[in-house]
Amino acid sequence: MTELTFPPIGSPVRLQTLCRLAGMLYVAIIVTGLLAELGIRARLIDFANPQATAEAIRSAPGLFRLSMGADLVMALCDAGLAILLYLVFSERASGAVRGLALAAMVFRLIQTVLIAANLMTMQAAFLLLGADLSQLALMCLRLHAYGYDLGLVFFGVNSWLMGALVLATPLFGRFLGYGLMLAGTVYLTGSALSLFLPDLSPVFAPAYGITIVVEVAFALCLLLRQEPALRHPDRDLS
C-alpha cells in the first residue's frame, strides 16, 4: 500500500503546492462570494421595498437558497485558505513573520465564523417570508447585511496584515502588498460607513471594485507562482 506523503518543510515543491492549493481556494471564494452577493442577493433584495423583496424571494426560493449555499461554500474555503496562507508565509519565515502570519490567520478565521453564523439571519428571513411576515423578514436581511459588514472589519485587518506579510517576505511583489493594504482600507472604511454613517455607503460602494481587482491578483499570484528551482530543474544538478 502506497503511503501518501507531503513534500518536506522548506522544499520548493512544498511551497509551490501550498500556493497552488491556496490559489484554488481563493478563486472558489471569489466566485462564490460574488455569486451570492452581486449575482443573487443584489437582484432579489431591495431594502427600501419589503413587499417587492418578499415577492422576488418567494418567486425564486431556489435562487435564494443558492445564495446561502454559496456563502457556506465560501466560508468553508475561507477557513482552509486561512490555514494555507499561514503555512505559505511561515514556511521559511523568522519568528516575527510567523507571528504576523498567525495574527492574519486568526483575523481571517474570525471573519469566516461571523460570515457562517450570519447565515442564520438569512434562514430566519426565509422562514418569516413563508409566514408572510415581510417586514420582519426584511429586518433579518438587513441584519445579515450588517453582520457581513462586521465580518469585513476583521477581513480588513487581515488584508492589512497580509499586505505587511507580502512586504516582509520575498514570495510576491511589493506592489501586491500595497494593494492588499489598500483593499484593507476599503473594507474598513466601507464597514465603518455601513455601521455608523449608512447614508454615505452608496457613495462609497464603487470603491469595492478595488478589492475585487486586488483579490483576483492575489489569487492569480498564488496559482501561477513558481519556485526558481522548479522552473529550471536542470540547473540544480551541479
Side-chain angles (χ1 to χ4, degrees), residues 22-42 63-81 108 111-112 115 119 122 144 148 212 215-216 219:
M24 287 188 287
L25 287 183
Y26 221 135
V27 170
I29 290 166
I30 292 170
V31 171
T32 53
L34 290 178
L35 172 66
E37 192 66 23
L38 299 181
I40 299 178
R41 285 196 288 270
L63 204 58
F64 189 75
R65 288 194 184 97
L66 178 61
S67 75
M68 289 190 286
D71 266 349
L72 183 58
V73 172
M74 179 184 69
L76 290 169
C77 292
D78 227 339
L81 179 61
R108 188 166 196 130
Q111 180 244 189
T112 301
I115 294 295
L119 289 175
M122 286 193 68
H144 174 267
Y148 211 93
I212 296 174
E215 299 285 348
V216 170

Side-chain angles (χ1 to χ4, degrees), residues 14-230:
R14 176 186 170 92
L15 183 58
Q16 180 163 304
T17 301
L18 290 171
C19 286
R20 291 282 192 275
L21 291 172
M24 287 188 287
L25 287 183
Y26 221 135
V27 170
I29 290 166
I30 292 170
V31 171
T32 53
L34 290 178
L35 172 66
E37 192 66 23
L38 299 181
I40 299 178
R41 285 196 288 270
R43 295 167 50 191
L44 297 178
I45 300 172
D46 180 0
F47 290 115
N49 194 334
Q51 195 58 41
T53 299
E55 291 174 1
I57 294 174
R58 287 194 192 106
S59 65
L63 204 58
F64 189 75
R65 288 194 184 97
L66 178 61
S67 75
M68 289 190 286
D71 266 349
L72 183 58
V73 172
M74 179 184 69
L76 290 169
C77 292
D78 227 339
L81 179 61
I83 297 168
L84 284 172
L85 287 177
Y86 168 75
L87 294 175
V88 166
F89 283 100
S90 63
E91 185 74 6
R92 303 172 186 170
S94 64
V97 174
R98 281 183 185 149
L100 196 61
L102 180 60
M105 180 180 70
V106 169
F107 275 96
R108 188 166 196 130
L109 287 174
I110 291 173
Q111 180 244 189
T112 301
V113 170
L114 288 172
I115 294 295
N118 200 32
L119 289 175
M120 295 300 294
T121 58
M122 286 193 68
Q123 183 62 34
F126 193 67
L127 294 174
L128 288 169
L129 285 174
D132 199 20
L133 297 170
S134 302
Q135 291 284 356
L136 286 175
L138 193 67
M139 184 180 296
C140 287
L141 293 173
R142 193 178 295 278
L143 283 173
H144 174 267
Y146 283 130
Y148 211 93
D149 286 317
L150 181 61
L152 290 181
V153 171
F154 292 91
F155 189 61
V157 176
N158 167 268
S159 296
W160 262 89
L161 293 172
M162 293 305 300
L165 280 169
V166 170
L167 294 175
T169 60
L171 296 176
F172 307 99
R174 294 180 66 83
F175 185 76
L176 178 63
Y178 293 120
L180 286 166
M181 287 181 168
L182 178 59
T185 302
V186 172
Y187 284 127
L188 290 170
T189 304
S191 292
L193 290 176
S194 176
L195 294 171
F196 304 111
L197 295 169
D199 291 341
L200 296 180
S201 289
V203 179
F204 187 76
Y208 282 100
I210 296 172
T211 68
I212 296 174
V213 172
V214 173
E215 299 285 348
V216 170
F218 194 10
L220 291 176
C221 285
L222 288 164
L223 277 172
L224 302 178
R225 187 183 185 280
Q226 286 189 333
E227 285 286 285
L230 293 177

